[in-house]
Amino acid sequence: MPTCGQPARPSPTTWQHGGVTAATHSSLFPQVPDSADAVLEGLDPEQREVATSLHGPVCVLAGAGTGKTRAITHRIAYGVRAGILQPSSVLAVTFTARAAGEMRGRLRQLGAQGVQARTFHSAALRQLQYFWPKAIGGSLPRLIDRKVQLVADAAAACRIRLDRGELRDVTAEIEWSKVTQTVPADYPRAAAQAGRETPRDPAEIAQLYSAYEDLKRDRAVIDFEDVLLLTVAVLQDRQDIAEQVRSQYQHFVVDEYQDVSPLQQRLLELWLGDRDTLCVVGDASQTIYSFTGATPDHLLDFRTRHPGATVVKLVRDYRSTPQVVHLANGLLAQARGRAADHRLELVSQRSPGPEPVYAEYADEPAEAEGAARRIRDLLDSGVPASEIAVLFRTNGQSETYEQALADAGIPYQLRGAERFFDRPEVRKAGIALRGAARFGGNDSALEDAVDLPSQVRAVLSGEGWTPQPPAGSGAVRERWESLAALVNLAQDFAAAKPDATLADLVAELDERAGAQHAPTVQGVTLASLHSAKGLEWDAVFLVGVAEGMMPITYARTDEQIEEERRLLYVGVTRARERLHVSWALSRAPGGRPNRRPSRFLNGLRPGSGTAAGRSPAGAVGGIERGPAGTPTASAPAVPRRTQRAPARCRVCGRTLTDAGELKLLRCEDCPSDMDEGLYERLRSWRAVQARRSGQPAFCVFTDKTLMAIAETVPEEPGELARIPGVGVRKLNRYGTDVLALCAGQDLGGEDEAD
């Protein structure tokens, strides 16, 4: 057995000769290593150093895609398998339940069961629940899931009117105050020192914060920040309890250390006591949550607080191609500030791929349609929908892309929507599989099922799964995708464990549900850049990369601008192979084309000059220009779109900018001359089309589009095509029916369900 802290004997298949696996793309059900030395197989030299440095403080500076989770899970597993670490004495903390679940899953696959991998809040809540009767007496107050309603009640008590946006923003200010350990009376001074742009007068927010705290006490409830605050208070005040916790946990690993808040850092210090058995992992260039109180200072100051610390830098990027990595490095090369001074220059370990593509469009709907076209091309070329993502700066941008993908018949899933194992069809499928595992011998449907995958297919056929997906992208397709994900998981599980039974698969699903480790769902991912952190796809579309959105308008200070740059860096490094960066010159069709590409792309995209410290050759890449310019020779030509004149209300003549008004071609409050009877016939016809295609009704035509049709009553295809929301594809598919309805014709049974 190797001495702790020294590299173990390398295996015959070394990382230089193909033994290393993609750091973030491991197989789904790998075989458990048969020894401690086997745990180290396939690690590169820096990852191996992390895994074998088990004494004293360790700081791992890990760039995007360099295998940080792989390194720290192998570190824990190696220590456990070598008998150096007791599983129950290790506490690994990270920032999301998904990341904690993934860490537990990897440790299980490495044969290191029994290690606690939790979020800061989850670990603190367990300790608080256990020690509360002893420290305080009675039972722990009820934990509230959402504090917005309580903030609203506090505002009412203070006789302060808050609209929905202000309510959300004041809630965020209260959360920031608590994680920075700021009491209500100190809020105005602390907010000024931090340079925060407050949504209301700071004195008013302090008053609301104080009233909120009073209401919590009156109602005997606590919030998520209180979980950390109260745990800190108990550990500070009760030395006996602090010693009990420290005797339980003797080795700590903290992932995403750049996102630690002052309150979380204080809790970590209380867990540690006077020990230094700590390993932290992070990347200052991925600090994107400072608005919540997160700061990279704890990571950047680690060597100062721990002069004898081992520092390991992971820069081998196993995720992205050299072309993607080149752009990511270029973004950070222009960065300023303390985090930029500690940036890591990534080195791609992958074969070359396509250059990033840059595209400019006249307006946001055109940009969304352009992304949908390219996604359709990728799907047709064999790229799975689950390996494609559209990433945007704000959640408000989502709707345009949802509509464009729905119009193109492309399935999608919203990141942050209902969790996989909470979906009704998944819960029902789990019940059916559990029943089949118990009583399958008496089920005639399983008589011809010779292996595990065929058994699962037989059971789920009764729940709605079919070998071929249904048409469309609505609720029916979403349910099918969930069941198909379970079928695919069964196939992977059986391939990894040929002797596995249905009961084994049910146990695997139960474990995954507890860890929220969902299988892959087939659908293009729509997500904000913040929610995409920690994820990756083969193809990524970064949309809306224009001034005012990236950086966002309200980012004004140098620190805020640099965080926006880091956010774009996170978006770029989500892509494995293909990266598409786009922006629109105006928000709505016919709007003034006064937007320009993000300053962060200066010197990186073709035709934008040379970035400081970079050669002109460093910015080559394919380019697709929309109406504002001609395609370069390196990019495929795309059809030129005619520049549209500003849209005006056909009643009062006012210029229109609202998307709903643009569809109607009139102001919302201008009088309507809609044919009510035609509108109802169109709605009935749309309902039939939606049922036949398995799509939501709005995917056929939105209500606004139907209203516009009923108002204009087009007589020929050209008139119908000019109505916003119709377009060429829908004209070809539905035009004949719609024009017939407009002409008063009876479609003969069209309004009867199949």
Side-chain angles (χ1 to χ4, degrees), residues 127-149:
Q127 293 174 20
L128 199 59
Q129 288 170 329
Y130 183 80
F131 290 113
W132 187 270
K134 178 179 179 180
I136 310 297
S139 57
L140 184 69
R142 181 174 62 87
L143 177 64
I144 56 172
D145 292 332
R146 297 174 69 249
K147 57 175 68 69
V148 171
Q149 184 57 54

Side-chain angles (χ1 to χ4, degrees), residues 653-717:
R654 182 178 69 84
T655 300
L656 302 175
T657 57
D658 178 77
E661 293 180 343
L662 286 166
K663 282 186 179 290
L664 293 174
L665 290 178
R666 65 169 174 81
C667 303
E668 285 277 7
D669 52 1
C670 278
S672 168
D673 53 356
M674 182 175 70
D675 183 332
E676 298 284 354
L678 173 57
Y679 179 65
E680 291 305 321
R681 291 197 301 276
L682 287 167
R683 283 174 57 85
S684 298
W685 166 84
R686 181 183 65 174
V688 174
Q689 300 302 319
R691 284 197 296 272
R692 287 181 172 176
S693 63
Q695 295 179 315
F698 72 83
C699 291
V700 180
F701 285 122
T702 64
D703 286 346
K704 284 286 190 346
T705 300
L706 292 187
M707 290 174 67
I709 293 171
E711 288 184 355
T712 56
V713 194
E715 296 180 355
E716 48 91 18

Side-chain angles (χ1 to χ4, degrees), residues 382-647:
V383 179
S386 60
E387 291 296 349
I388 303 172
V390 178
L391 306 182
F392 31 74
R393 176 61 180 85
T394 67
N395 287 319
Q397 296 168 268
S398 171
E399 185 177 358
T400 304
Y401 290 88
E402 291 179 58
Q403 184 68 62
L405 294 177
D407 286 348
I410 298 171
Y412 64 85
Q413 55 175 330
L414 282 172
R415 181 79 191 163
E418 187 177 33
R419 297 192 297 185
F420 181 83
F421 288 103
D422 292 338
R423 297 175 185 175
E425 64 271 17
V426 174
R427 290 202 301 268
K428 285 183 63 180
I431 292 170
L433 289 170
R434 186 171 287 103
R438 290 178 180 172
F439 312 111
N442 300 320
D443 192 339
S444 59
L446 299 181
E447 288 179 357
D448 297 326
V450 296
D451 56 16
L452 177 59
S454 59
Q455 289 175 339
V456 172
R457 288 193 294 269
V459 173
L460 297 188
S461 293
E463 300 300 319
W465 178 82
T466 56
Q468 295 300 319
S473 59
V476 173
R477 178 63 181 248
E478 290 177 4
R479 286 194 293 272
W480 184 89
E481 296 287 1
S482 297
L483 298 177
L486 294 175
V487 170
N488 293 335
L489 181 70
Q491 292 171 329
D492 292 333
F493 190 64
K497 303 175 187 271
D499 297 330
T501 65
L502 200 52
D504 295 330
L505 177 64
V506 168
E508 174 70 20
L509 289 175
D510 287 343
E511 195 149 352
R512 281 171 165 261
Q516 286 300 326
H517 183 192
T520 301
V521 176
Q522 288 300 320
V524 173
T525 298
L526 296 177
S528 70
L529 286 164
H530 282 100
S531 65
K533 178 78 168 63
L535 304 174
E536 60 187 79
W537 297 269
D538 283 346
V540 168
F541 289 74
L542 295 176
V543 300
V545 188
E547 287 292 307
M549 194 60 74
M550 180 59 67
I552 198 78
T553 305
Y554 52 75
R556 296 188 178 92
T557 67
D558 290 344
E559 292 81 3
Q560 290 168 338
I561 296 294
E562 287 306 315
E563 180 146 342
E564 292 288 300
R565 188 193 306 275
R566 295 193 295 269
L567 188 57
L568 183 58
Y569 171 79
V570 167
V572 167
T573 55
R574 299 310 96 196
R576 297 192 195 107
E577 297 177 12
R578 296 176 176 86
L579 183 63
H580 186 279
V581 184
S582 63
W583 58 91
L585 297 177
S586 68
R587 186 179 71 82
R592 291 181 59 190
N594 55 2
R595 290 182 176 176
R596 64 184 189 276
S598 169
R599 71 191 75 172
F600 300 146
L601 299 178
N602 290 344
L604 301 175
R605 63 181 178 87
S608 62
T610 304
R614 296 177 59 83
S615 65
V620 297
I623 185 168
E624 173 193 350
R625 288 196 183 279
T630 305
T632 66
S634 63
V638 295
R640 287 181 65 90
R641 293 166 53 114
T642 304
Q643 183 67 42
R644 300 178 229 184

Side-chain angles (χ1 to χ4, degrees), residues 242-529:
E243 290 303 324
Q244 192 173 342
V245 172
R246 291 167 193 159
S247 67
Q248 168 72 51
Y249 296 118
Q250 297 169 25
H251 301 271
F252 296 85
V253 176
V254 184
D255 194 9
E256 303 287 6
Y257 194 54
Q258 77 278 352
D259 291 330
V260 165
S261 70
L263 179 56
Q264 290 165 331
Q265 175 66 21
R266 180 60 185 141
L267 177 59
L268 179 62
E269 291 167 355
L270 288 166
W271 282 339
L272 274 166
D274 58 1
R275 301 167 298 177
D276 61 2
T277 50
L278 172 65
C279 174
V280 301
V281 190
D283 179 9
S285 296
Q286 296 188 69
T287 305
I288 59 174
Y289 297 107
S290 66
F291 60 91
T292 67
T295 171
D297 290 346
H298 305 300
L299 176 68
L300 299 178
D301 293 338
F302 191 84
R303 194 71 177 267
T304 302
R305 294 196 314 276
H306 303 279
T310 299
V311 178
V312 183
K313 296 181 180 180
L314 304 183
V315 297
R316 303 175 198 263
D317 188 324
Y318 297 95
R319 176 188 297 159
S320 304
T321 63
Q323 287 76 10
V324 173
V325 168
H326 184 75
L327 175 57
N329 286 336
L331 278 172
L332 292 188
Q334 303 179 40
R336 300 290 181 267
R338 192 175 182 217
D341 293 341
H342 294 78
R343 70 184 180 90
L344 299 168
E345 185 86 11
L346 299 177
V347 182
S348 176
Q349 306 297 297
R350 295 194 54 177
S351 300
E355 293 286 349
V357 173
Y358 302 88
E360 185 174 89
Y361 296 93
D363 50 63
E364 290 181 6
E367 185 181 6
E369 291 167 10
R373 284 196 303 272
R374 284 185 166 271
I375 290 171
R376 171 52 65 193
D377 291 341
L378 289 175
L379 295 175
D380 292 344
S381 70
V383 179
S386 60
E387 291 296 349
I388 303 172
V390 178
L391 306 182
F392 31 74
R393 176 61 180 85
T394 67
N395 287 319
Q397 296 168 268
S398 171
E399 185 177 358
T400 304
Y401 290 88
E402 291 179 58
Q403 184 68 62
L405 294 177
D407 286 348
I410 298 171
Y412 64 85
Q413 55 175 330
L414 282 172
R415 181 79 191 163
E418 187 177 33
R419 297 192 297 185
F420 181 83
F421 288 103
D422 292 338
R423 297 175 185 175
E425 64 271 17
V426 174
R427 290 202 301 268
K428 285 183 63 180
I431 292 170
L433 289 170
R434 186 171 287 103
R438 290 178 180 172
F439 312 111
N442 300 320
D443 192 339
S444 59
L446 299 181
E447 288 179 357
D448 297 326
V450 296
D451 56 16
L452 177 59
S454 59
Q455 289 175 339
V456 172
R457 288 193 294 269
V459 173
L460 297 188
S461 293
E463 300 300 319
W465 178 82
T466 56
Q468 295 300 319
S473 59
V476 173
R477 178 63 181 248
E478 290 177 4
R479 286 194 293 272
W480 184 89
E481 296 287 1
S482 297
L483 298 177
L486 294 175
V487 170
N488 293 335
L489 181 70
Q491 292 171 329
D492 292 333
F493 190 64
K497 303 175 187 271
D499 297 330
T501 65
L502 200 52
D504 295 330
L505 177 64
V506 168
E508 174 70 20
L509 289 175
D510 287 343
E511 195 149 352
R512 281 171 165 261
Q516 286 300 326
H517 183 192
T520 301
V521 176
Q522 288 300 320
V524 173
T525 298
L526 296 177
S528 70
L529 286 164

